[in-house]
Amino acid sequence: VDEEAQMPDTTYTKEFLVDILGYPAMVRNIAVAGHLHHGKTALLDVLVAATHTWPEWDRAAPVATPTAKMRWPGDRAFGYTDVHQLERQRAIGLKTMPISLVAQTTKGKSYALNILDAPGHSNFIDEVAASLRMADGVVIVVDAVEGVMSGTERAIQAAMREGLDIVLVVNKVDRLIIELKLPPEDAYFKLKLTIEEVNSAIAACPQAASSMRLSPELGNVCFASAAFGWCFSLESFASHYVDAWQMPIAPRELARRLWGDIYYHSERGTFMRKRAKDGKQARRSFVHFILEPLYKLFAQVVAEDEPTLRQTIDSLGIRLRKEDYALDARSLLRRVLCQFFGPPTGLVDMCAAHVKSPVANAAAKAERLYMGQMDSAVAVAMRECDSEGPLVIAIAKQYPSSDASQFYALGRILSGHIQTGQKVRVLGEGFAPGDDEDMAVATVSDAWIYCSRYKIPVSGLGAGAWVLLGGVDASISKTATIVDMDVAEADLAIVRPLQLPSDAVIKIAVEPVVPTELPKMLSGLRKIGKSYPLVQTRVEESGEHIVLGSGELYLDCIMHDLRC
């Protein structure tokens, strides 16, 4: 998908986004990871649709399957972070793509969310590693029907190795209703089982601790159906009840009663730990307050009973246009449920409360990544996430320009402040104190906030933010560390290179069809090395040019880019 010709309208001004990035306590750096086709990109589409003017998404019918998406690879109505040509054609994420936006919590407080959408395919675990390098927390997305899969376990293990906070989104809840046709009580037990599977995967890691347990009443689990445009936490859902019915209870207190073996007696209007003797009157609270209303909305929309549906949605305060009732069932469901659940404030609540800010996580990040002396002025500034300290940027990923003539470097500012026109040192992975062979001096020509389909130009950004830099890529092979010129040579040190959980084990030999185009192929191979973190290229003794990757799909994507 080509970049937007103009920056889209948003519910906030771009200046406000830049301003709030200057307050690291109001920023959350997040990676979204999980198994293939569990709905990671679609979940981000819900956030984008809530904060951006996106008419294609508003008009489109929900697309639930990858096969359906592959029929319209040029359709701009889904996959906001899927911009690579192959990602559109195959309906699969291949590249880690960032987006920065401002979203509000249920109480109306604004946070800047820097989010990286990581691929779910096992071949692209290197892209997941790059996204985790940039993040302070991970949103694990799990399909409510499939549960924990191999990709989910890999993402959890990688997050645990990096010491990141983990929160959970149980996605595709609609499949329990539409496909499995489970009754509400059984759907509750299926959701509970899925959450326990995730907890078991976390507990199996050596770094696990009891404080990492995930449970909806703790606020670190959300439920979603990204295809139908909704996502909620127990507290965000409870706030709708409290506001609509003027209930004399705080939303958080009501949310604590909406999960587990807690029952609601409709005649007495009380909660209880055990079913009453006349058990028919006592329903499990999650089923009574959440699942049964949801099931009724699904049933009435699918049944196309317009008079009954009108009466129901009027009682819920949902306003539809007359022509909306003529839509097909899936499109009408999205319109109704988007208004019923409202914007995805529950997801923002969860990230704000359970993912550390760049300031809170700065010390742990510096100790884990920085390879220099921890008592130096540079290390102290990194541990404090000090925008006034020496500049240190950890470059984790490179992205080609539209014509692939140059690369832009995406990095996290660990300390200091970067400005356009600033002269900086670029330290490569092979840099060592006293050996400046892998060091270069470059001038930052451009700086942007990268939002997948568009870039916001900025004059500068401070510690805790993510920045896309132009003009510094010439000496960068995979990752790099950028420092300012004022840092003493004795204090120069790099950020640890990416720790990839798998090796390049499959190789192919490449050669140009026309021998005279060998220099062009060599230039392409160098660009491939910048674009793919795990790929290796070398020349064998026989003179063959070898490309090594993690799998068949990985190499296929490399060959596609090389031919282009």
Side-chain angles (χ1 to χ4, degrees):
V1 176
D2 295 332
E3 285 193 8
E4 304 277 1
Q6 295 180 340
M7 285 187 285
D9 293 331
T10 51
T11 55
Y12 50 88
T13 64
K14 308 302 185 295
E15 293 77 12
F16 181 63
L17 171 60
V18 176
D19 288 344
I20 202 170
L21 287 173
Y23 298 90
M26 305 300 296
V27 177
R28 295 295 183 271
N29 296 326
I30 303 161
V32 179
H35 190 66
L36 180 68
H37 293 153
H38 276 200
K40 300 176 295 297
T41 302
L43 182 67
L44 289 186
D45 286 350
V46 176
L47 266 177
V48 172
T51 55
H52 291 62
T53 300
W54 192 5
E56 296 91 349
W57 190 90
D58 293 335
R59 292 192 299 264
V63 180
T65 64
T67 305
K69 293 180 181 179
M70 291 168 65
R71 296 173 189 162
W72 305 287
D75 193 343
R76 302 177 70 89
F78 57 85
Y80 201 87
T81 55
D82 286 346
V83 297
H84 193 282
Q85 182 181 0
L86 287 181
E87 290 179 319
R88 312 297 296 187
Q89 292 176 353
R90 302 183 180 186
I92 179 177
L94 305 175
K95 295 287 186 181
T96 287
M97 290 300 295
I99 185 166
S100 298
L101 48 84
V102 176
Q104 290 187 331
T105 64
T106 304
K107 295 180 179 179
K109 188 174 182 179
S110 295
Y111 284 86
L113 302 182
N114 294 321
I115 308 173
L116 272 167
D117 180 17
H121 196 283
S122 59
N123 280 186
F124 297 92
I125 192 67
D126 57 336
E127 298 284 341
V128 177
S131 67
L132 299 184
R133 169 60 56 88
M134 302 279 290
D136 297 306
V138 184
V139 176
I140 298 294
V141 181
V142 179
D143 188 317
V145 172
E146 295 183 3
V148 171
M149 304 289 282
S150 59
T152 314
E153 293 177 345
R154 281 193 298 270
I156 290 173
Q157 292 163 3
M160 296 290 282
R161 284 194 298 269
E162 290 289 328
L164 303 181
D165 297 320
I166 296 177
V167 293
L168 174 65
V169 173
V170 182
N171 193 22
K172 302 192 179 184
V173 177
D174 60 283
R175 294 185 65 191
L176 302 178
I177 306 172
I178 298 175
E179 296 181 22
L180 299 189
K181 296 181 173 59
L182 295 179
E185 191 78 20
D186 291 351
Y188 165 79
F189 285 112
K190 177 60 176 172
L191 294 171
K192 184 179 180 181
L193 175 63
T194 300
I195 296 169
E196 289 308 315
E197 286 179 343
V198 176
N199 281 319
S200 297
I202 293 174
C205 297
Q207 306 88 347
S210 58
S211 59
M212 297 178 181
R213 179 172 174 78
L214 303 174
S215 189
E217 77 273 12
L218 299 177
N220 51 19
V221 176
C222 281
F223 302 95
S225 171
F228 289 99
W230 53 267
C231 177
F232 70 90
S233 65
L234 293 187
E235 187 171 348
S236 69
F237 199 91
S239 66
H240 291 311
Y241 270 107
V242 171
D243 294 341
W245 299 97
Q246 300 297 312
M247 299 175 70
I249 185 174
R252 180 166 296 181
E253 292 301 314
L254 177 57
R256 290 172 56 190
R257 294 167 169 80
L258 293 181
W259 187 257
D261 295 329
I262 298 179
Y263 302 87
Y264 181 74
H265 198 290
S266 54
E267 289 187 355
R268 301 175 190 170
T270 58
F271 292 93
M272 56 186 67
R273 285 285 180 181
K274 296 181 179 179
R275 287 185 187 271
K277 292 182 179 179
D278 52 342
K280 294 181 180 179
Q281 301 299 326
R283 302 282 292 166
R284 192 180 297 273
S285 58
F286 185 81
V287 173
H288 176 81
F289 285 98
I290 297 177
L291 289 182
E292 286 186 347
L294 181 60
Y295 270 65
K296 287 178 182 178
L297 282 175
F298 267 86
Q300 291 182 8
V301 171
V302 172
E304 299 182 351
D305 185 359
E306 185 175 327
T308 306
L309 179 60
R310 282 181 180 273
Q311 183 179 354
T312 301
I313 65 173
D314 285 344
S315 67
L316 295 172
I318 298 173
R319 298 289 177 263
L320 296 180
R321 297 171 299 179
K322 185 177 180 180
E323 55 267 27
D324 288 340
Y325 291 97
L327 295 171
D328 63 273
R330 295 184 66 86
S331 299
L332 182 55
L333 263 174
R334 178 187 272 185
R335 299 286 173 91
V336 171
L337 295 175
C338 281
Q339 290 195 44
F340 178 64
F341 289 101
T345 57
L347 180 61
V348 185
D349 289 338
M350 180 175 71
C351 294
H354 296 279
V355 174
K356 296 183 184 71
S357 69
V359 175
N361 197 43
K365 203 79 172 173
E367 292 171 6
R368 185 175 294 273
L369 299 182
Y370 191 55
M371 298 182 69
Q373 296 294 325
M374 295 309 296
D375 57 353
S376 66
V378 174
V380 170
M382 291 170 61
R383 288 202 301 266
E384 296 176 355
C385 194
D386 184 8
S387 294
E388 302 299 325
L391 174 68
V392 179
I393 303 177
I395 300 297
K397 189 80 177 76
Q398 296 183 79
Y399 297 93
S401 60
S402 57
D403 59 356
S405 61
Q406 61 178 318
F407 278 77
Y408 305 128
L410 180 69
R412 172 173 172 152
I413 306 175
L414 298 176
S415 66
H417 189 276
I418 186 70
Q419 291 182 318
T420 55
Q422 183 175 349
K423 186 175 288 188
V424 295
R425 290 190 179 104
V426 182
L427 310 180
E429 293 180 353
F431 174 83
D435 181 8
D436 59 358
E437 182 178 352
D438 200 1
M439 181 181 74
V441 176
T443 301
V444 178
S445 60
D446 301 280
W448 299 277
I449 298 171
Y450 197 16
C451 299
S452 291
R453 292 191 188 181
Y454 66 96
K455 296 192 287 282
I456 303 173
V458 293
S459 59
L461 286 171
W466 294 352
V467 64
L468 186 71
L469 299 176
V472 300
D473 66 291
S475 63
I476 302 176
S477 58
K478 302 289 186 184
T479 64
T481 306
I482 292 179
V483 298
D484 59 28
M485 301 295 294
D486 297 333
V487 177
E489 290 195 9
D491 291 339
L492 291 178
I494 64 171
V495 170
R496 195 181 308 277
L498 290 179
Q499 303 294 311
L500 300 177
S502 63
D503 297 323
V505 294
I506 300 180
K507 69 177 183 179
I508 55 173
V510 296
E511 63 179 15
V513 175
V514 181
T516 56
E517 292 187 345
L518 178 62
K520 186 183 294 186
M521 188 192 78
L522 295 178
S523 174
L525 288 175
R526 283 192 291 271
K527 292 176 180 178
I528 289 298
K530 286 174 172 283
S531 184
Y532 291 82
L534 183 141
V535 72
Q536 298 177 20
T537 59
R538 65 170 183 242
V539 181
E540 296 283 351
E541 293 181 358
S542 62
E544 286 183 313
H545 292 272
I546 300 297
V547 179
L548 295 98
S550 57
E552 184 178 354
L553 179 61
Y554 195 90
L555 290 173
D556 188 45
C557 295
I558 288 173
M559 293 306 298
H560 173 274
D561 290 354
L562 195 57
R563 294 185 183 107
C564 291

